Amino acid sequence: MRLSQFFLPTLKETPSEAQIASHRLMLRAGMVRQLTAGIYSWLPLGHRVLKKIEQIVREEQDKIGFNELLMPTIQPAELWQESGRYDDYGLEMLRITDRHDRKMLFGPTNEEAITDIFRNDVRSYKQLPQMLYHIQWKFRDEIRPRFGVMRGREFLMKDAYSFDIDYESARHTYNKIFLAYCRTFTRLGVKAIPMVADTGPIGGDLSHEFIILADTGESEVFCDKKWLDKDLTGQGVDLNDRPGLENWVQTTLSDYAATEEKHDKANSPISGDDLIETRGIEVGHIFHFGTKYSEPMGATVLGPDGKDTPVQMGSYGIGVSRLVGALIEASHDENGIIWPESVAPYKVGLINLRTGDDACDAACEDAYAKMTNAGIEVLYDDRDIRAGGKFADMDLIGLPWQIVIGPKGLKNGVVELKNRRSGEKTEVTFEAALNQISA
Ligand code: ATP
Ligand code: MG
């Protein structure tokens, strides 16, 4: 992409409405714009990151056998009256009336809708487990939308749902999701720690929140410092080996981590130097809730004993749009964003130090064509502006690599290669730069 043709409205000044770094940087880097409180447009640069995160989330769901579908954003009130949540949900639910005076709502989550799909088409335990997910916009009329996309009113969520015949198999499904979440966040280049979470009025012990440690997070969290170096890639874990997977999950969870609601200072298993007390951002939440929806909504199957049995359900969310902010919160410096490679909007920023100079233009065009042909995503700053502005914008938008081509280097047959994360700059031939980027 040529920057001269790319809609990238960067800002030099820090927007006054933004209280935390990620919000400031997303506005300054031209990633999002607020349409009205808690409701954002995703501009091209932000949209690319959002799509990359979404794709990684999708791939990891697919790998553990979940099926993607797409449910609507608008739902009928009746379904929520069946589960009893229509009245319980309160003011966070955006309620709508259609022209026939029917009560509708903009979905804050989809347990009811998926349970309706399930009960209409699944009859026998032989069809279980069923594992379904979608990636869809949600609306919650948050009392205090803030921190940009971190706590929006409209936000993108991956929500998955599972249906099993009994607790043991539901737990196995839960473990699969647990593994998929560990892998997802690892691929996103961030450490999200699974923490025992409050299950609320439903009870049970099977719920974990995945939390990225950050001073600006909204929840208070407590964890063993061992988490910081812990490997969560789950390499070699076999999904179909039930005891093996259970064992991996239990081993992973053996180090202490809990949110404020669950942490009991007096009885904390660790303290002193081993205990990290900080804040965190919730980017995922997984939850086994048994028959909470299947019973009132009549989601039953014929069991092996020939009797109608309500299915065991779980739901599993990832805040896709919140993650864009959370990743920035976890990775930036005073000059701007530092993207993990896996979600960077482009891999390389190509800077033409002197647009209009024939030699520079030709060398940049050549480099641009070569990288594009090699399948490397490159943003070429071909704008006719001062070099200082190009450097500042490139640091701000945080692409992993920068290649700078100018008249002086060209005389010596070299370009400047900069690694955004380390800040390291080297003068090398374009071919050597390309090798390093592709390594
Ligand atoms: P929170 O405690 O942050 O309000 P929640 O527990 O209500 O979140 P869940 O119902 O567990 O949220 O939703 C799943 C995921 O969706 C959360 O882990 C979070 O990443 C994301 N999410 C929830 N609310 C918002 C929001 N207002 N804006 C952006 N993302 C959100
Ligand atoms: Mg939650």
Side-chain angles (χ1 to χ4, degrees):
M1 174 59 68
R2 290 165 199 276
L3 235 169
S4 61
Q5 292 163 25
F6 192 55
F7 185 67
L8 185 71
T10 56
L11 309 172
K12 279 203 191 66
E13 307 303 324
T14 297
S16 59
E17 74 265 33
Q19 301 164 28
I20 61 170
S22 58
H23 189 195
R24 282 196 289 274
L25 289 170
M26 286 183 76
L27 292 171
R28 286 194 52 216
M31 293 177 65
V32 290
R33 288 294 180 257
Q34 182 174 285
L35 194 58
T36 184
I39 301 180
Y40 288 84
S41 299
W42 291 79
L43 305 189
L45 191 78
H47 186 243
R48 285 181 75 90
V49 177
L50 188 68
K51 287 287 154 189
K52 291 211 168 171
I53 295 175
E54 184 183 322
Q55 185 55 24
I56 289 174
V57 169
R58 172 178 289 121
E59 285 169 13
E60 295 301 325
Q61 293 293 297
D62 292 347
K63 271 189 210 158
I64 56 165
F66 274 65
N67 293 180
E68 185 171 8
L69 77 164
L70 186 59
M71 290 177 271
T73 53
I74 307 289
Q75 305 179 19
E78 290 92 56
L79 271 184
W80 288 68
Q81 283 156 347
E82 275 191 60
S83 73
R85 281 210 292 184
Y86 189 65
D87 294 323
D88 291 353
Y89 216 92
L91 292 174
E92 273 190 19
M93 182 184 277
L94 182 66
R95 294 155 208 261
I96 307 166
T97 308
D98 75 7
R99 65 196 298 166
H100 305 294
D101 245 2
R102 287 193 196 110
K103 289 186 178 146
M104 317 286 280
L105 56 101
F106 196 121
T109 178
N110 283 60
E111 281 81 4
E112 284 79 359
I114 198 84
T115 303
D116 185 56
I117 291 172
F118 177 90
R119 70 179 172 185
N120 291 333
D121 282 294
V122 182
R123 297 270 166 266
S124 160
Y125 76 96
K126 290 181 187 157
Q127 293 165 279
L128 301 186
Q130 289 292 336
M131 304 181 287
L132 301 160
Y133 76 99
H134 73 163
I135 302 174
Q136 177 63 292
W137 293 91
K138 305 290 185 291
F139 195 95
R140 294 182 186 174
D141 204 354
E142 301 276 357
I143 187 162
R144 223 148 80 82
R146 58 180 186 157
F147 300 159
V149 299
M150 294 259 239
R151 183 164 298 282
R153 293 198 294 166
E154 189 185 54
F155 59 96
L156 188 61
M157 195 205 286
K158 182 284 299 179
D159 39 325
Y161 304 90
S162 64
F163 304 84
D164 279 273
I165 188 63
D166 54 28
Y167 178 77
E168 283 64 41
S169 60
R171 184 169 182 113
H172 183 54
T173 303
Y174 187 92
N175 287 342
K176 286 184 187 172
I177 274 278
F178 185 95
L179 174 66
Y181 274 41
C182 289
R183 288 178 171 165
T184 301
F185 296 120
T186 303
R187 279 184 67 189
L188 293 174
V190 80
K191 169 72 53 74
I193 303 175
M195 302 201 182
V196 181
D198 216 357
T199 48
I202 304 151
D205 61 349
L206 262 191
S207 177
H208 291 90
E209 288 177 356
F210 285 77
I211 295 196
I212 296 176
L213 303 185
D215 298 336
T216 48
E218 290 188 282
S219 358
E220 253 190 277
V221 298
F222 303 82
C223 69
D224 193 314
K225 70 166 189 250
K226 286 203 209 89
W227 278 104
L228 300 181
D229 320 302
K230 201 167 191 137
D231 173 43
L232 293 177
T233 50
Q235 252 163 17
V237 181
D238 177 0
L239 280 178
N240 299 314
D241 169 13
R242 271 198 195 193
L245 178 56
E246 170 75 20
N247 185 43
W248 182 79
V249 172
Q250 291 313 322
T251 311
T252 302
L253 287 172
S254 62
D255 292 314
Y256 185 72
T259 58
E260 192 188 8
E261 301 84 55
K262 281 279 175 178
H263 181 69
D264 175 1
K265 257 199 177 112
N267 296 307
S268 172
I270 52 163
S271 56
D273 277 355
D274 293 333
L275 182 67
I276 300 178
E277 286 190 55
T278 181
R279 306 185 74 81
I281 303 166
E282 179 192 325
V283 288
H285 193 171
I286 60 178
F287 205 0
H288 168 78
F289 45 69
T291 58
K292 178 178 156 82
Y293 300 93
S294 54
E295 255 179 75
M297 294 185 67
T300 60
V301 293
L302 272 185
D305 54 2
K307 285 191 193 138
D308 269 339
T309 315
V311 288
Q312 294 281 327
M313 291 177 59
S315 73
Y316 321 98
I318 289 184
V320 177
S321 52
R322 175 179 287 181
L323 266 165
V324 181
L327 294 185
I328 297 174
E329 216 49 55
S331 179
H332 67 272
D333 64 14
E334 64 282 4
N335 297 323
I337 301 165
I338 305 173
W339 290 116
E341 288 230 1
S342 58
V343 300
Y346 294 90
K347 187 169 188 177
V348 182
L350 173 63
I351 295 180
N352 186 341
L353 267 191
R354 204 172 288 168
T355 301
D357 174 286
D358 287 346
C360 282
D361 289 351
C364 284
E365 285 300 334
D366 186 50
Y368 181 57
K370 281 190 176 128
M371 287 192 276
T372 306
N373 290 338
I376 296 170
E377 292 175 316
V378 44
L379 186 62
Y380 169 27
D381 195 346
D382 59 342
R383 294 173 301 174
D384 191 7
I385 62 167
R386 281 185 316 109
K390 295 187 181 183
F391 289 133
D393 275 350
M394 215 42 105
D395 277 354
L396 175 62
I397 68 172
L399 309 184
W401 297 97
Q402 297 173 15
I403 292 181
V404 185
I405 297 186
K408 240 167 84 191
L410 280 182
K411 272 189 204 128
N412 304 322
V414 293
V415 302
E416 184 183 272
L417 176 68
K418 174 173 162 181
N419 181 287
R420 176 67 181 89
R421 189 171 290 280
S422 67
E424 192 188 335
K425 293 177 187 173
T426 48
E427 295 211 329
V428 292
T429 62
F430 172 69
E431 279 65 34
L434 202 55
N435 281 338
Q436 212 171 317
I437 285 166
S438 313

